[in-house]
Amino acid sequence: MEVTAATYPRSIYFKLPRRGIISNGNIYTGSENTFNYRYKADKETHRIHLWVWYGMKCFELSEPVAEHEEDDTDDGWAKLTCDLDYDYDDYKEKLASGEVKSRPTYDDLKDDSPVLSDYEIFGEDDGQKD
């Protein structure tokens, strides 16, 4: 079945803005646990881009695990929304299998250690030895 705006009007996982918000040049990002996504329209090509990445780092410091691009139309937006939901389904499977780490919480702490080390935040050695 081909995805169209009529068959896939909204995400089953995320509350996304109307397409017009993105089409007018706004960047929209969101996350759930360590699953992150970013929408951005290209006004010159009339296309919308979607990037998905995992982890605690921002978009600029991360490598996307998935990239999608569609026409800036209602049907294109529906396809990107469907792609986002499929990518989130993949993420949940990887999270359950342990292939992807979840976000640490304060409940995970031991001995008043920081939630994240400098290495986990910045990718640099924090000088601590295990």
Side-chain angles (χ1 to χ4, degrees):
M1 179 176 93
E2 185 177 338
V3 175
T4 65
T7 62
Y8 212 92
R10 70 181 133 235
S11 171
I12 58 175
Y13 299 114
F14 303 102
K15 186 172 182 180
L16 299 173
R18 295 184 324 273
R19 178 179 62 87
I21 299 294
I22 308 303
S23 298
N24 286 329
N26 295 296
I27 296 172
Y28 185 80
T29 61
S31 66
E32 174 63 35
N33 201 335
T34 55
F35 177 87
N36 306 283
Y37 58 93
R38 179 181 198 240
Y39 286 96
K40 182 179 179 186
D42 184 336
K43 288 186 172 189
E44 291 178 11
T45 62
H46 303 288
R47 309 272 291 166
I48 298 176
H49 305 272
L50 167 64
W51 295 271
V52 173
W53 73 98
Y54 304 153
M56 298 292 292
K57 294 181 181 178
C58 67
F59 174 75
E60 286 78 10
L61 297 177
S62 299
E63 290 292 324
V65 295
E67 295 182 46
H68 308 280
E69 182 178 341
E70 293 290 341
D71 290 331
D72 190 356
T73 63
D74 287 340
D75 286 341
W77 182 250
K79 289 175 185 172
L80 288 175
T81 301
C82 183
D83 290 336
L84 179 66
D85 286 349
Y86 278 121
D87 289 342
Y88 187 64
D89 285 335
D90 289 342
Y91 165 79
K92 290 190 304 181
E93 289 176 10
K94 291 177 181 178
L95 191 61
S97 72
E99 187 178 339
V100 174
K101 290 174 57 175
S102 67
R103 181 173 303 213
T105 66
Y106 287 103
D107 293 339
D108 298 333
L109 294 179
K110 298 175 184 101
D111 324 13
D112 294 328
S113 59
V115 174
L116 294 174
S117 69
D118 287 344
Y119 177 77
E120 290 172 304
I121 296 171
F122 303 108
E124 300 172 0
D125 188 2
D126 62 0
Q128 297 179 0
K129 302 292 182 206
D130 292 328

